[in-house]
Amino acid sequence: MPLTEIRVEIPAAFADGVEEVLLEAGDDRWSLLEEAVVKRAWLVGVFSDDDEARARWNALLPLLPMKPLSGPVLRALADSDWRDSYKAHFRAWDFGRLHWVPLWERDTYVLPTGHAALWLDPGMAFGTGNHETTRLCCERLAELASGTKQPRRVIDAGCGSGILALSAALLGCASVSGFDLDPEAVRVSHENAELNGLAGHVKFAVADLPGGLAGLHADLVLANIQADVLTRHARALIGAVAPGGSLVLSGILATEGAAVRAAFAAAAPGWKIGSRNLGEWCDLVLKAP
């Protein structure tokens, strides 16, 4: 069944502000396309039909920091067209011994001995590691999993496509679970688990952040969620980390980093806190005593 693509041109100068709105909206069916040479930018969304596309656009429009340059253009988009258009924006990448690779390269990608690949299908996945916030989490996970004391229990809070939880399983973490408030995200996580031969190895559930963490303790908790949500639920996130464990936070604009760090430092006195930037984004990693 054809999907519907909706495309709206926006002023290129507002691209950064629009990207922040998309992250806060939490709907990964929207993407931002930019042509730096000609200084043009577009909002592009892919939805199940015309009615959903128009409804999603009407909901997003009031949140934008500017007026679009043109009205929305809708067109029928076959699944194969979506995959082909996405190929221009998703390239394989790696960190340490883990590789994140598009499914269409499965037969040709050369994987070094001792390394592992997470195969990702853009026809299903909400996350591929393309965005800096996901990449920051993936890199922290790879570092911690290759350390002298690999985390055994891992929780992916707000799992989205399941990329972080599935990466943890591939890296050898023994007990991995993920949850998301969006049932569609959990469905996609299960599909990506099957795609990688990990069905049954990672537990996914529908839950909000406090409910998903209630009664759990893990050696590593990963949360790639917008900054205000992280700050609001700081105590629940900290409480889910086992003694000596780590908490990795992302989805934080670099300009928000100091405030988020201060909030978690106040909620977790005595914890070691580190941070690094990637583009306009930053992460936090907290180490429990």
Side-chain angles (χ1 to χ4, degrees):
M1 180 178 177
L3 302 172
T4 293
E5 178 192 82
I6 180 169
R7 181 179 292 251
V8 184
E9 185 167 3
I10 63 171
F14 287 89
D16 290 344
V18 170
E19 185 175 26
E20 182 178 350
V21 168
L22 293 181
L23 181 70
E24 292 178 352
D27 190 342
D28 289 325
R29 286 169 290 183
W30 288 105
S31 59
L32 180 66
L33 301 182
E34 296 181 77
E35 291 288 347
V37 176
V38 296
K39 296 183 178 179
R40 297 179 70 185
W42 296 264
L43 261 174
V44 181
V46 177
F47 300 97
S48 59
D49 53 38
D50 289 7
D51 290 341
E52 184 185 19
R54 290 192 180 95
R56 294 288 183 174
W57 167 244
N58 290 334
L60 183 65
L61 179 59
L63 305 177
L64 298 178
M66 80 299 140
K67 293 182 178 180
L69 294 178
S70 63
V73 176
L74 279 68
R75 72 181 180 102
L77 187 70
D79 187 60
S80 58
D81 295 332
W82 166 236
R83 292 170 188 269
D84 289 342
S85 66
Y86 202 90
K87 290 180 182 180
H89 305 286
F90 178 27
R91 295 285 188 270
W93 65 285
D94 62 271
F95 187 85
R97 60 185 178 90
L98 188 56
H99 300 238
W100 294 267
V101 188
L103 183 61
W104 57 82
E105 294 185 18
R106 193 165 197 164
D107 294 334
T108 58
Y109 191 80
V110 178
L111 194 65
T113 302
H115 287 216
L118 184 67
W119 309 103
L120 295 167
D121 183 348
M124 298 188 302
F126 293 157
T128 60
N130 275 2
H131 197 278
E132 291 93 332
T133 58
T134 308
R135 189 165 297 213
L136 282 164
C137 274
C138 286
E139 292 183 358
R140 289 288 191 185
L141 167 62
E143 288 172 346
L144 290 166
S146 62
T148 56
K149 187 178 180 182
Q150 184 184 71
R152 182 182 180 278
R153 297 162 296 169
V154 178
I155 298 173
D156 180 5
C159 59
S161 66
I163 182 173
L164 297 177
L166 296 173
S167 296
L170 284 178
L171 288 168
C173 300
S175 175
V176 184
S177 63
F179 64 87
D180 200 289
L181 185 60
D182 184 359
E184 179 67 9
V186 173
R187 184 189 67 80
V188 169
S189 294
H190 281 297
E191 289 184 344
N192 279 331
E194 292 179 3
L195 181 66
N196 286 275
L198 293 170
H201 293 275
V202 180
K203 297 178 181 178
F204 291 107
V206 177
D208 61 9
L209 204 152
L213 295 174
L216 298 181
H217 291 89
D219 306 307
L220 174 60
V221 177
L222 301 156
N224 183 15
I225 306 172
Q226 64 194 62
D228 62 321
V229 177
L230 294 174
T231 302
R232 187 162 65 250
H233 296 291
R235 294 194 180 280
L237 287 161
I238 290 165
V241 180
S246 298
L247 172 63
V248 174
L249 309 173
S250 190
I252 308 166
L253 285 164
T255 53
E256 301 170 322
V260 177
R261 182 174 186 143
F264 276 84
W271 290 40
K272 295 180 180 178
I273 304 179
S275 178
R276 66 182 172 193
N277 289 19
L278 183 59
E280 297 181 346
W281 303 89
C282 72
D283 70 358
L284 287 177
V285 57
L286 294 90
K287 179 72 172 178

